[in-house]
Amino acid sequence: GTAVVLEDVRKTYELAEPVHALDGVTLEVSRGSYTAIMGPSGSGKSTLMNLVGCLDTPTEGRVVVDGQDVTTLDGRERTDLRGTQVGFVFQTFNLMPRLTALENVALPQLFQGVGRGERRERARELLERVGLADRADHLPSELSGGQRQRVALARALVNEPAIVLADEPSGNLDTETEADVLDLFAEFHDAGTTLVVVTHERHVAERAERIVHLLDGTIERIEKLESTGEPTSPP
Ligand code: ADP
Ligand code: ADP
């Protein structure tokens, strides 16, 4: 099956001169796949992520998320689709500073109308899967960068979304912590999670099954990798 399909997608920003942020992108993200997006600054990575994440709609073309054509939905329906089918992981973690790790992970379910007991139980399960069961009651400020990103990943996964989008997920982490977080991504990929990661870092992208190279708003090429889930050996 397919988690996300983009069909000849164009996104134009009408400035003094129109900016073609995406200029005819066709891409399929199958369920359980692991995709990296690379490209120079201004090549359209953020725009692509915003479309796949139902944060925005294309100027032309279709975006289909979990079988639903996003372009036919109104704002409210798009928000619902995003809340249930997309998990976000950011470079800066974006955790709520006054909520504990457990409360942060539980939060997305609140908007899905899940009851308190079930929310906490499910959040606890996810924290366990990311190895942070013993940090459930800590505030983000009491956690290391790697631990914060693991909380963010647990939060992204708590609603069992069709796809998890990560924007430079290890950009703020040191090398060792980065490796831990990427190992965790690989673990979730092995367990069936669909992952799309935007990164400037070749070694981060190489953990995926393929790298989509963007250039000037188009797909320059798609590089297939022999994904072993293992980090590539140093040169
Ligand atoms: P990155 O370095 O992660 O690719 P950018 O600095 O290109 O990020 O963009 C960050 C955010 O700013 C994006 O969400 C993008 O939509 C927005 N953005 C980028 N360029 C412009 C612009 N010229 N006008 C308004 N918003 C922009
Ligand atoms: P990347 O993430 O690869 O840096 P972006 O998707 O942020 O690329 O930007 C692609 C192009 O679209 C750039 O020329 C950028 O300036 C422009 N752009 C992005 N977002 C906006 C926006 N909100 N308003 C106007 N121009 C934008």
Side-chain angles (χ1 to χ4, degrees):
T2 307
V4 176
V5 185
L6 287 86
E7 282 174 18
D8 202 16
V9 164
R10 286 160 213 278
K11 182 73 185 181
T12 306
Y13 295 105
E14 297 295 344
L15 305 178
E17 291 281 311
V19 175
H20 301 289
L22 290 179
D23 202 6
V25 167
T26 296
L27 183 68
E28 214 177 289
V29 179
S30 55
R31 281 188 195 287
S33 63
Y34 190 169
T35 303
I37 312 274
M38 295 191 83
S41 191
S43 60
K45 301 182 301 295
S46 308
T47 303
L48 182 69
M49 291 293 265
N50 289 345
L51 293 175
V52 172
C54 307
L55 289 160
D56 205 351
T57 50
T59 312
E60 283 177 55
R62 291 208 315 158
V63 178
V64 181
V65 175
D66 191 43
Q68 291 208 61
D69 184 347
V70 179
T71 50
T72 66
L73 303 178
D74 64 28
R76 166 73 200 275
E77 292 168 325
R78 220 168 56 235
T79 303
D80 285 347
L81 184 63
R82 180 166 71 239
T84 53
Q85 299 306 337
V86 186
F88 291 94
V89 175
F90 304 94
Q91 179 170 6
T92 50
F93 320 128
N94 292 26
L95 299 173
M96 306 291 280
R98 291 174 194 283
L99 299 184
T100 65
L102 186 85
E103 289 164 346
N104 267 285
V105 176
L107 195 60
Q109 304 168 92
L110 185 62
F111 309 112
Q112 306 311 323
V114 179
R116 184 170 189 275
E118 195 184 329
R119 284 204 304 275
R120 293 180 69 85
E121 192 178 322
R122 174 115 184 90
R124 212 171 276 286
E125 269 171 39
L126 259 304
L127 278 178
E128 214 159 283
R129 281 183 71 187
V130 301
L132 286 178
D134 58 339
R135 296 288 187 276
D137 298 326
H138 289 233
L139 294 173
S141 58
E142 299 167 331
L143 299 171
S144 70
Q147 289 172 337
R148 286 179 208 182
Q149 198 57 303
R150 285 192 273 159
V151 172
L153 184 58
R155 178 186 57 184
L157 286 158
V158 78
N159 283 334
E160 298 184 331
I163 190 164
V164 171
L165 301 180
D167 192 358
E168 297 284 2
S170 57
N172 274 328
L173 306 176
D174 62 50
T175 307
E176 197 177 327
T177 311
E178 171 178 76
D180 288 344
V181 166
L182 295 178
D183 285 347
L184 195 57
F185 274 58
E187 238 173 75
F188 278 103
H189 169 239
D190 288 344
T193 299
T194 309
L195 289 168
V196 175
V197 175
V198 170
T199 181
H200 287 100
E201 305 279 355
R202 175 84 202 171
H203 70 276
V204 173
E206 281 179 346
R207 301 292 298 266
E209 294 168 320
R210 59 171 182 169
I211 305 177
V212 175
H213 294 271
L214 288 183
L215 189 63
D216 294 336
T218 63
I219 295 178
E220 184 196 22
R221 69 194 170 101
I222 296 182
E223 181 183 355
K224 291 209 187 316
L225 301 166
E226 260 183 60
S227 180
T228 58
E230 297 295 320
T232 47
S233 42

mmCIF file of all heavy atoms in Angstrom, residues 13 15 40-42 45-47 50 91 167-168 198 200, ligand 1:
data_model
loop_
_atom_site.group_PDB
_atom_site.id
_atom_site.type_symbol
_atom_site.label_atom_id
_atom_site.label_comp_id
_atom_site.label_asym_id
_atom_site.label_seq_id
_atom_site.Cartn_x
_atom_site.Cartn_y
_atom_site.Cartn_z
ATOM 1 N N TYR A 13 4.812 30.460 -5.026
ATOM 2 C CA TYR A 13 4.586 31.605 -4.148
ATOM 3 C C TYR A 13 4.544 32.852 -5.008
ATOM 4 O O TYR A 13 5.478 33.123 -5.759
ATOM 5 C CB TYR A 13 5.691 31.704 -3.088
ATOM 6 C CG TYR A 13 5.693 30.546 -2.123
ATOM 7 C CD1 TYR A 13 6.654 29.547 -2.216
ATOM 8 C CD2 TYR A 13 4.719 30.433 -1.136
ATOM 9 C CE1 TYR A 13 6.650 28.463 -1.335
ATOM 10 C CE2 TYR A 13 4.712 29.363 -0.255
ATOM 11 C CZ TYR A 13 5.679 28.384 -0.360
ATOM 12 O OH TYR A 13 5.671 27.331 0.507
ATOM 13 N N LEU A 15 5.187 36.146 -5.318
ATOM 14 C CA LEU A 15 5.882 37.333 -4.830
ATOM 15 C C LEU A 15 5.932 38.315 -6.004
ATOM 16 O O LEU A 15 5.175 38.175 -6.953
ATOM 17 C CB LEU A 15 7.286 36.952 -4.342
ATOM 18 C CG LEU A 15 7.322 35.836 -3.278
ATOM 19 C CD1 LEU A 15 8.739 35.494 -2.898
ATOM 20 C CD2 LEU A 15 6.508 36.228 -2.047
ATOM 21 N N PRO A 40 20.061 21.281 -1.798
ATOM 22 C CA PRO A 40 20.597 22.542 -1.279
ATOM 23 C C PRO A 40 19.499 23.439 -0.727
ATOM 24 O O PRO A 40 18.313 23.211 -0.994
ATOM 25 C CB PRO A 40 21.267 23.186 -2.505
ATOM 26 C CG PRO A 40 20.758 22.459 -3.696
ATOM 27 C CD PRO A 40 20.268 21.127 -3.238
ATOM 28 N N SER A 41 19.879 24.437 0.034
ATOM 29 C CA SER A 41 18.927 25.396 0.581
ATOM 30 C C SER A 41 18.148 26.036 -0.572
ATOM 31 O O SER A 41 18.728 26.386 -1.593
ATOM 32 C CB SER A 41 19.698 26.457 1.370
ATOM 33 O OG SER A 41 18.792 27.231 2.099
ATOM 34 N N GLY A 42 16.829 26.113 -0.407
ATOM 35 C CA GLY A 42 15.992 26.704 -1.439
ATOM 36 C C GLY A 42 15.523 25.723 -2.498
ATOM 37 O O GLY A 42 14.804 26.097 -3.420
ATOM 38 N N LYS A 45 12.750 21.545 -0.063
ATOM 39 C CA LYS A 45 12.588 20.506 0.964
ATOM 40 C C LYS A 45 11.479 20.849 1.957
ATOM 41 O O LYS A 45 10.611 20.015 2.241
ATOM 42 C CB LYS A 45 13.913 20.274 1.715
ATOM 43 C CG LYS A 45 15.079 19.857 0.835
ATOM 44 C CD LYS A 45 16.335 19.592 1.640
ATOM 45 C CE LYS A 45 16.828 20.769 2.450
ATOM 46 N NZ LYS A 45 17.276 21.926 1.616
ATOM 47 N N SER A 46 11.531 22.069 2.498
ATOM 48 C CA SER A 46 10.509 22.463 3.492
ATOM 49 C C SER A 46 9.128 22.472 2.856
ATOM 50 O O SER A 46 8.143 22.028 3.473
ATOM 51 C CB SER A 46 10.796 23.853 4.050
ATOM 52 O OG SER A 46 12.112 23.934 4.526
ATOM 53 N N THR A 47 9.041 22.977 1.644
ATOM 54 C CA THR A 47 7.762 23.029 0.943
ATOM 55 C C THR A 47 7.208 21.622 0.747
ATOM 56 O O THR A 47 6.024 21.367 0.999
ATOM 57 C CB THR A 47 7.935 23.739 -0.417
ATOM 58 O OG1 THR A 47 8.469 25.040 -0.183
ATOM 59 C CG2 THR A 47 6.613 23.850 -1.153
ATOM 60 N N ASN A 50 5.978 20.304 4.057
ATOM 61 C CA ASN A 50 4.719 20.952 4.440
ATOM 62 C C ASN A 50 3.534 20.355 3.684
ATOM 63 O O ASN A 50 2.432 20.250 4.234
ATOM 64 C CB ASN A 50 4.796 22.461 4.192
ATOM 65 C CG ASN A 50 5.723 23.156 5.169
ATOM 66 O OD1 ASN A 50 6.096 22.596 6.189
ATOM 67 N ND2 ASN A 50 6.109 24.382 4.855
ATOM 68 N N GLN A 91 14.066 19.329 14.419
ATOM 69 C CA GLN A 91 15.438 19.508 14.881
ATOM 70 C C GLN A 91 15.476 20.037 16.315
ATOM 71 O O GLN A 91 16.307 19.643 17.125
ATOM 72 C CB GLN A 91 16.122 20.508 13.934
ATOM 73 C CG GLN A 91 17.551 20.817 14.285
ATOM 74 C CD GLN A 91 18.242 21.623 13.189
ATOM 75 O OE1 GLN A 91 17.610 22.047 12.212
ATOM 76 N NE2 GLN A 91 19.521 21.833 13.349
ATOM 77 N N ASP A 167 12.449 16.471 10.368
ATOM 78 C CA ASP A 167 13.219 17.541 9.749
ATOM 79 C C ASP A 167 14.527 17.714 10.509
ATOM 80 O O ASP A 167 14.519 18.203 11.631
ATOM 81 C CB ASP A 167 12.385 18.828 9.775
ATOM 82 C CG ASP A 167 12.987 19.916 8.906
ATOM 83 O OD1 ASP A 167 14.066 19.694 8.321
ATOM 84 O OD2 ASP A 167 12.370 20.990 8.811
ATOM 85 N N GLU A 168 15.630 17.308 9.906
ATOM 86 C CA GLU A 168 16.946 17.368 10.559
ATOM 87 C C GLU A 168 16.879 16.839 12.001
ATOM 88 O O GLU A 168 17.279 17.535 12.937
ATOM 89 C CB GLU A 168 17.487 18.805 10.581
ATOM 90 C CG GLU A 168 17.743 19.420 9.229
ATOM 91 C CD GLU A 168 19.023 18.910 8.544
ATOM 92 O OE1 GLU A 168 19.716 18.026 9.119
ATOM 93 O OE2 GLU A 168 19.295 19.365 7.437
ATOM 94 N N VAL A 198 14.218 14.665 6.321
ATOM 95 C CA VAL A 198 14.922 15.707 5.572
ATOM 96 C C VAL A 198 16.245 15.975 6.271
ATOM 97 O O VAL A 198 16.269 16.158 7.493
ATOM 98 C CB VAL A 198 14.108 17.015 5.524
ATOM 99 C CG1 VAL A 198 14.951 18.152 4.955
ATOM 100 C CG2 VAL A 198 12.862 16.835 4.685
ATOM 101 N N HIS A 200 20.586 17.512 5.679
ATOM 102 C CA HIS A 200 21.720 17.965 4.865
ATOM 103 C C HIS A 200 22.865 16.971 4.965
ATOM 104 O O HIS A 200 23.846 17.070 4.245
ATOM 105 C CB HIS A 200 22.219 19.334 5.367
ATOM 106 C CG HIS A 200 21.309 20.464 5.043
ATOM 107 N ND1 HIS A 200 20.438 21.000 5.958
ATOM 108 C CD2 HIS A 200 21.116 21.142 3.891
ATOM 109 C CE1 HIS A 200 19.755 21.974 5.374
ATOM 110 N NE2 HIS A 200 20.135 22.071 4.124
HETATM 111 P P1 ADP B 1 15.837 24.971 5.693
HETATM 112 O O1 ADP B 1 17.189 25.594 5.858
HETATM 113 O O2 ADP B 1 15.441 24.025 6.786
HETATM 114 O O3 ADP B 1 15.590 24.441 4.338
HETATM 115 P P2 ADP B 1 14.640 27.531 5.148
HETATM 116 O O4 ADP B 1 15.461 28.540 5.867
HETATM 117 O O5 ADP B 1 14.798 27.390 3.673
HETATM 118 O O6 ADP B 1 14.780 26.147 5.910
HETATM 119 O O7 ADP B 1 13.083 27.832 5.398
HETATM 120 C C1 ADP B 1 12.538 27.789 6.692
HETATM 121 C C2 ADP B 1 11.063 28.139 6.590
HETATM 122 O O8 ADP B 1 10.896 29.452 6.073
HETATM 123 C C3 ADP B 1 10.310 27.199 5.663
HETATM 124 O O9 ADP B 1 9.199 26.676 6.352
HETATM 125 C C4 ADP B 1 9.854 28.024 4.497
HETATM 126 O O10 ADP B 1 8.506 27.749 4.137
HETATM 127 C C5 ADP B 1 9.978 29.450 4.991
HETATM 128 N N1 ADP B 1 10.563 30.284 3.914
HETATM 129 C C6 ADP B 1 11.652 29.994 3.205
HETATM 130 N N2 ADP B 1 11.891 30.943 2.293
HETATM 131 C C7 ADP B 1 10.910 31.869 2.455
HETATM 132 C C8 ADP B 1 10.604 33.104 1.834
HETATM 133 N N3 ADP B 1 11.329 33.598 0.830
HETATM 134 N N4 ADP B 1 9.518 33.789 2.272
HETATM 135 C C9 ADP B 1 8.798 33.321 3.257
HETATM 136 N N5 ADP B 1 9.030 32.148 3.888
HETATM 137 C C10 ADP B 1 10.073 31.444 3.506
#
